[in-house]
Amino acid sequence: MVWVKVVFAIALCGVLFTANGLVTADQGDCELPPKLAEEIAQYQPIVDSIFQHIVSGEYAGKTWQSLLEFTDRFGPRLTGTKQLEDAIDYAVQEMIEEGLDNVHTEEAIVSHWQRGREWAVLVEPFQKNLPMLGLGKSVGTPPDGITAEVIAVESFEEFETFTADQVKGKIVVFAPAWTGYGATGRYRYESASIAAKKGAAAVLLRSMTPFSIGTPHTGTLRYDPDVHRIPAAAITVEDAMLLLRKFRRGDKMVIQLNMDAINLEPTVSRNTIGELEGHTFKNTSVVVVSGHMDSWDVGTGASDDAGGVFVSWKAITFLKAMGLRPRRTIRAIYWTAEEQYLEGASVYEREHAEDEKEEFNVFFESDSGTFEPTGLDFSGNRAAQCIFAEVAKLMTGYDDFTFTEGSVSSDIGNWVSRGFPGVSLRNRNENYFWYHHTEGDTIELEDPVALDKITALWAATAYVIADLSVDIPKNVIDYSYV
């Protein structure tokens, strides 16, 4: 083989800004070397075969069936619980039985928070139960709870108009308008510390969702290390807005809040790994497909994120069963403690940092629901984007397949921020945050056909990338071609 250096200019791949803020590759402006474009096109029969086997062949329905058995068997998998560790043991044994390569776990020291009993009641001006979920890592109340008058605000800016004397000893209700998970999410992260700076006794937060039928949504908060820690919990949209309206009318309100939440000493969990080993490159230029194994302690975590785990897991299982072994290793990683600020992925990253530039090629992750797939979000330089755009053209059979430069983060975000190409699933998840971090996140959200399509998309894209004669460019533009 002769290695020929091909240099790409900065303007290699044109981009178009679309109305939704995403950036879409204009494939007509991507001037790939003819040999590389021809090589990618030659994978069409293999891609078609992968889709046929998984979507309408012998593997149809198997991803959903495996997800059903898993969520029914283990239920919610909060970090630090036996359920999570039992689920990890199960995954290891199942992957070994399926013949995957190098199946193992890697330990990670992670947070250990327990919810305990909890309840909230509006006691004045009338009695009303307030469905609630304590926020992850929140401290608990004193044993007798907290009974205090209420201040309700819509924003941090409104809260700033209150003096410390007005806030001291009160329960502060934050009822921000939903403008998206990223923008509104800061209220979940920051409210407790912002309120505590003015002496608040506790915080109740409108759940992070655009739609509610009286359902609270949990999630992790962040405490400012220099501020006294106070209890924090999510309440329903309906109750948060009721309290806000009543406060603005001048009604005096009193709430009793009881939370037995406790932060225990850090504990040992594990990231779970199984591989389809490459026939040429085993431990270099690895293509990672991933999701996170842990969930909250409500629902069964089917959508967040057992679905992401199983489309990654079954993608390589089905490739192996089809006799497809690429040049490079495809490594499935099921992260632990994602809900605790990506603790499992952060430990894995530190453990593999020394030789990561040689070890890894591309990172895939599914962690925004597993509904009807519509395409891929991509993050990387323009040379890499052009290759992915060409690979995406192989994914036929979709009514509206899009390949965009969008949000790629969560467990693979740190690698992406340092220049590694990253891929996330795009799917019709408009209602994802209706159920996110609630009792409603169960197998009933998952559709067998959609899961088959995602698994096929994951398997086909990862296989082509892992088998190409070139690595996907990282944070440099030059690459070599065989």
Side-chain angles (χ1 to χ4, degrees):
M1 293 184 181
V2 178
W3 292 85
V4 180
K5 180 70 71 176
V6 180
V7 179
F8 280 77
I10 291 293
L12 172 68
C13 182
V15 293
L16 298 175
F17 288 88
T18 62
N20 61 5
L22 299 173
V23 183
T24 306
D26 182 351
Q27 296 177 15
D29 289 345
C30 287
E31 297 178 0
L32 292 179
K35 281 188 177 181
L36 182 54
E38 181 181 347
E39 177 189 347
I40 293 172
Q42 289 174 352
Y43 283 98
Q44 190 67 67
I46 295 176
V47 168
D48 292 345
S49 176
I50 290 171
F51 273 82
Q52 189 279 320
H53 282 283
I54 296 176
V55 175
S56 58
E58 66 270 38
Y59 307 122
K62 291 189 178 296
T63 302
W64 182 88
Q65 187 63 41
S66 295
L67 177 61
L68 168 70
E69 294 171 2
F70 178 82
T71 53
D72 279 359
R73 176 177 296 201
F74 300 105
R77 300 167 304 283
L78 184 66
T79 302
T81 62
K82 184 175 185 295
Q83 284 141 279
L84 173 59
E85 299 309 310
D86 286 348
I88 292 170
D89 289 338
Y90 169 85
V92 168
Q93 187 58 42
E94 288 291 304
M95 287 191 292
I96 291 173
E97 292 181 4
E98 291 171 0
L100 296 186
D101 305 311
N102 194 27
V103 176
H104 67 285
T105 62
E106 298 185 19
E107 289 188 353
I109 304 299
V110 297
S111 299
H112 188 189
W113 177 79
Q114 289 183 354
R115 179 179 303 281
R117 298 177 305 157
E118 57 184 18
W119 66 94
V121 179
L122 178 66
V123 296
E124 291 184 27
F126 52 73
Q127 291 274 330
K128 184 184 189 306
N129 181 54
L130 302 175
M132 52 84 75
L133 284 172
L135 297 182
K137 298 191 177 181
S138 175
V139 297
T141 63
D144 293 334
I146 294 172
T147 302
E149 194 173 337
V150 171
I151 288 175
V153 297
E154 187 174 8
S155 66
F156 290 142
E157 291 76 16
E158 184 179 356
F159 180 70
E160 284 304 308
T161 67
F162 290 82
T163 66
D165 287 342
Q166 292 173 305
V167 174
K168 186 175 181 180
K170 303 290 200 314
I171 293 176
V172 179
V173 175
F174 286 95
W178 172 265
T179 58
Y181 192 64
T184 312
R186 66 183 295 245
Y187 284 87
R188 193 184 77 204
Y189 307 141
E190 302 173 22
S191 291
S193 292
I194 286 175
K197 288 178 182 178
K198 292 189 177 184
V203 160
L204 295 176
L205 175 72
R206 170 192 155 137
S207 286
M208 296 291 100
T209 180
F211 174 80
S212 175
I213 51 171
T215 304
H217 297 234
T218 190
T220 300
L221 55 72
R222 293 184 184 130
Y223 282 123
D224 185 328
D226 299 323
V227 178
H228 173 66
R229 298 185 174 192
I230 61 174
I235 58 175
T236 70
V237 172
E238 296 88 338
D239 285 340
M241 300 312 294
L242 171 66
L243 297 173
L244 179 63
R245 290 193 301 270
K246 289 181 71 61
F247 182 77
R248 287 179 170 174
R249 291 189 189 112
D251 293 353
K252 179 183 177 181
M253 295 176 290
V254 175
I255 287 176
Q256 180 183 0
L257 175 67
N258 290 74
M259 294 173 61
D260 291 342
I262 185 171
N263 287 283
L264 301 171
E265 288 298 312
T267 188
V268 176
S269 188
R270 296 162 290 169
N271 293 306
T272 312
I273 294 96
E275 295 181 343
L276 177 60
E277 195 171 70
H279 63 69
T280 301
F281 307 107
K282 292 181 171 58
N283 297 312
T284 59
S285 197
V286 172
V287 174
V288 172
V289 293
S290 67
H292 67 84
M293 183 75 82
D294 65 304
S295 74
W296 283 104
D297 54 340
V298 289
T300 59
S303 179
D304 185 20
D305 183 36
V309 165
F310 273 85
V311 297
S312 299
W313 174 349
K314 295 305 173 181
I316 61 172
T317 293
F318 297 155
L319 287 173
K320 180 177 178 63
M322 285 183 265
L324 294 172
R325 187 177 291 275
R327 300 184 197 201
R328 298 168 190 79
T329 293
I330 304 176
R331 179 180 300 166
I333 306 179
Y334 320 136
W335 313 106
T336 193
E338 186 274 346
E339 300 293 0
Q340 312 303 320
Y341 291 131
L342 318 177
E343 290 179 346
S346 297
V347 172
Y348 186 88
E349 179 190 5
R350 290 195 297 271
E351 295 283 332
H352 292 257
E354 184 174 341
D355 56 0
E356 65 178 7
K357 289 295 183 185
E358 290 72 37
E359 183 175 2
F360 299 114
N361 185 6
V362 178
F363 290 86
F364 288 66
E365 181 179 36
S366 172
D367 188 19
S368 60
T370 41
F371 305 101
E372 181 70 21
T374 60
L376 299 169
D377 276 339
F378 173 78
S379 178
N381 63 45
R382 291 186 178 184
Q385 187 177 357
C386 281
I387 296 174
F388 266 90
E390 196 71 17
V391 171
K393 290 162 62 176
L394 302 171
M395 308 302 150
T396 58
Y398 290 88
D399 293 334
D400 184 23
F401 188 91
T402 58
F403 172 77
T404 63
E405 186 175 0
S407 175
V408 179
S409 58
S410 198
D411 280 305
I412 66 173
N414 286 345
W415 280 284
V416 170
S417 68
R418 294 206 308 276
F420 285 92
V423 182
S424 288
L425 174 71
R426 287 182 63 77
N427 61 122
R428 291 197 175 97
N429 62 353
E430 296 89 348
N431 298 340
Y432 177 61
F433 289 109
W434 293 16
Y435 307 97
H436 185 250
H437 296 180
T438 74
E439 292 286 4
D441 183 359
T442 67
I443 191 65
E444 281 68 29
L445 298 180
E446 301 295 330
D447 175 66
V449 175
L451 283 167
D452 288 342
K453 291 180 180 178
I454 297 168
T455 306
L457 174 61
W458 229 228
T461 309
Y463 176 82
V464 173
I465 295 301
D467 198 56
L468 284 177
S469 61
V470 297
D471 284 348
I472 302 302
K474 300 184 176 67
N475 56 353
V476 294
I477 297 177
D478 296 354
Y479 68 87
S480 297
Y481 175 63
V482 179

